[in-house]
Amino acid sequence: AEAGFVALDDDDSGLLSKEELFNGFRKWLGPKLSALVKDDEMKSLWKQSDEDSSGYLKFWEFSQLLRAVLSAALWRSQSMMDGDVEMEGDDSGGSPRNSPTPSDLPQRSSSSSSPSGPRPLPSLTPTPPASS
């Protein structure tokens, strides 16, 4: 997580702006992992991870976001291997079908924000679709 944070922190401020994250995150993750994470999920995770609503992510906030992104990617990868999730479009990285939507992502309530430190994000692993 630290190497990713440093790589994305273009201005060496010790904070990640939304632009720094969105401009470099997919490149840093690589094409295979980034194809498993939807743009709307990234936007939702940004909002959840920026607990103090500063418009910037501190390292521990980035770490939570990264954990959630990797959990979602792992779930999708496993589901694709099991045949539960298919990619739409061609092999160039379409979006997964039968995958979690933004409403499946954990929501942050305004009362759960803690200025004293990070709080763990709930798991993004949804219940797999019923087999037919």
Side-chain angles (χ1 to χ4, degrees):
E2 185 175 356
F5 187 85
V6 170
L8 297 174
D9 185 14
D10 291 334
D11 62 2
D12 297 321
S13 65
L15 300 170
L16 289 182
S17 68
K18 188 180 261 189
E19 292 76 26
E20 286 173 320
L21 181 74
F22 283 87
N23 290 338
F25 194 69
R26 291 191 181 281
K27 183 177 180 181
W28 179 70
L29 277 181
K32 289 184 180 183
L33 272 179
S34 66
L36 296 171
V37 182
K38 296 178 183 182
D39 288 339
D40 55 352
E41 289 173 325
M42 285 297 298
K43 290 175 186 173
S44 178
L45 288 170
W46 169 272
K47 289 177 186 175
Q48 294 171 47
S49 299
D50 184 16
E51 289 192 5
D52 60 3
S53 300
S54 65
Y56 295 91
L57 295 184
K58 295 162 193 65
F59 174 71
W60 61 268
E61 291 172 322
F62 171 75
S63 297
Q64 290 183 91
L65 181 138
L66 183 59
R67 188 176 329 122
V69 165
L70 293 177
S71 292
L74 178 62
W75 177 84
R76 283 205 184 91
S77 175
Q78 289 173 338
S79 295
M80 287 169 51
M81 290 187 327
D82 293 342
D84 294 336
V85 174
E86 300 173 21
M87 298 298 280
E88 294 176 354
D90 59 18
D91 293 333
S92 64
S95 61
R97 282 187 261 148
N98 300 327
S99 60
T101 64
S103 62
D104 296 323
L105 298 173
Q107 300 299 311
R108 179 179 77 169
S109 70
S110 58
S111 63
S112 67
S113 185
S114 170
S116 62
R119 64 168 174 73
L121 289 175
S123 171
L124 290 180
T125 307
T127 305
S131 299
S132 34

